[in-house]
Amino acid sequence: MAYQTFRQEYMQIPPVTRAYTTACVLTTAVVQLEIITPFQLYFNPELIFRNYQVWRLITNFLFFGPVGFNFLFNMIFLYRYCRMLEEGSFRGRTADFVFMFLFGGLLMTIFGLFVNLVFLGQAFTIMLVYVWSRRNPYVRMNFFGLLNFQAPFLPWVLMGFSLLLGNSIIVDLLGIAVGHIYFFLEDVFPNQPGGGRILKTPYILKAIFDTQDEDPNYNPLPEDRPGGFAWGEGQRLGG
């Protein structure tokens, strides 16, 4: 019974969010079990282009470090904001969402050639948070019960939190930069005088991902409580 309930809840997660978060968790699991090591996963242009270890272009987005606070923190944000984007502004537009993943991943990989970053998953999470926050500018957020602010400030609050933990903010800045580029090209520039849509989802992605009818039994997260994860004492991150 418990397995069936879990399976039902799991299958109700939208497909892109389900695939990405599952891949991240499984990657961490096989590293924890010492089946593979992070040295086989990290972003290394020389190994990619000279030794043809092309899997690193993908695996560097899947590993968030060993299981601990940082891993759980990233997984919660990744799952929550990825799912809210997929169920919100990308509802019924799976191909467009996949294209955003590809565009963001490609841009981060290019930038990664010039900065000393070996794993880009955290930056990718910040990109998702940034796009969601700009598309929900009037949502009020509450961070650990300490700060109240509107959604567009969330990526910057996370960057400040990362700085307090002693982490490099280059990762956060990269995610914010890529998220802003996508948001500008997709949401701002097309509405400017003389502007137009530069980012167009390839037909092949639409043919693959947008052919199935929507499941009438699908149960999305409540959009009236964005970011609503309890953080002890009944506090919510957003909502």
Side-chain angles (χ1 to χ4, degrees):
M1 181 65 69
Y3 168 76
Q4 291 179 345
T5 301
F6 172 78
R7 184 178 183 278
Q8 184 178 13
E9 292 295 325
Y10 177 75
M11 294 307 297
Q12 285 184 348
I13 301 172
V16 178
T17 302
R18 182 171 67 238
Y20 186 39
T21 53
T22 299
C24 292
V25 171
L26 290 179
T27 300
T28 300
V30 296
V31 171
Q32 287 291 117
L33 294 172
E34 299 183 351
I35 298 174
I36 60 175
T37 72
F39 295 105
Q40 297 170 281
L41 306 175
Y42 76 99
F43 181 72
N44 185 316
E46 183 174 348
L47 293 177
I48 292 171
F49 297 113
R50 291 189 179 181
N51 293 3
Y52 306 108
Q53 297 182 9
V54 293
W55 65 84
R56 294 177 183 271
L57 292 170
I58 298 175
T59 56
N60 81 91
F61 287 98
L62 303 180
F63 184 65
F64 288 78
V67 175
F69 175 78
N70 189 62
F71 170 76
L72 294 175
F73 191 79
N74 276 288
M75 284 297 98
I76 289 172
F77 272 81
L78 170 61
Y79 168 77
R80 186 64 183 182
Y81 289 94
C82 187
R83 180 167 183 172
M84 286 201 298
L85 276 175
E86 191 168 2
E87 293 178 341
S89 58
F90 287 99
R91 178 77 165 162
R93 300 168 51 218
T94 302
D96 293 337
F97 196 45
V98 171
F99 183 62
M100 188 190 80
F101 266 58
L102 296 175
F103 175 80
L106 175 62
L107 214 54
M108 287 184 189
T109 299
I110 294 173
F111 289 154
L113 297 174
F114 304 99
V115 295
N116 187 27
L117 293 175
V118 292
F119 291 104
L120 299 173
Q122 185 176 335
F124 195 85
T125 300
I126 294 295
M127 179 197 76
L128 296 174
V129 171
Y130 184 91
V131 173
W132 177 88
S133 70
R134 293 302 300 270
R135 289 183 170 179
N136 297 270
Y138 303 111
V139 174
R140 295 290 299 174
M141 311 295 292
N142 182 285
F143 190 73
F144 287 107
L146 301 175
L147 293 175
N148 292 289
F149 52 89
Q150 288 184 283
F153 292 100
L154 179 59
W156 305 100
V157 171
L158 293 179
M159 185 177 72
F161 184 66
S162 182
L163 187 62
L164 287 175
L165 293 177
N167 299 326
S168 172
I169 62 172
I170 298 298
V171 174
D172 300 82
L173 288 174
L174 177 59
I176 290 172
V178 174
H180 182 73
I181 291 171
Y182 177 84
F183 176 76
F184 178 81
L185 294 178
E186 183 69 11
D187 293 45
V188 179
F189 185 68
N191 298 317
Q192 300 298 312
R197 289 200 66 187
I198 296 177
L199 300 180
K200 296 183 179 180
T201 304
Y203 174 77
I204 187 171
L205 292 182
K206 290 185 175 293
I208 295 172
F209 294 104
D210 287 350
T211 55
Q212 296 182 353
D213 294 331
E214 188 172 299
D215 183 358
N217 298 318
Y218 183 68
N219 184 28
L221 292 180
E223 279 295 321
D224 60 336
R225 292 187 298 167
F229 255 98
W231 290 90
E233 301 297 324
Q235 298 292 343
R236 290 185 180 277
L237 179 61

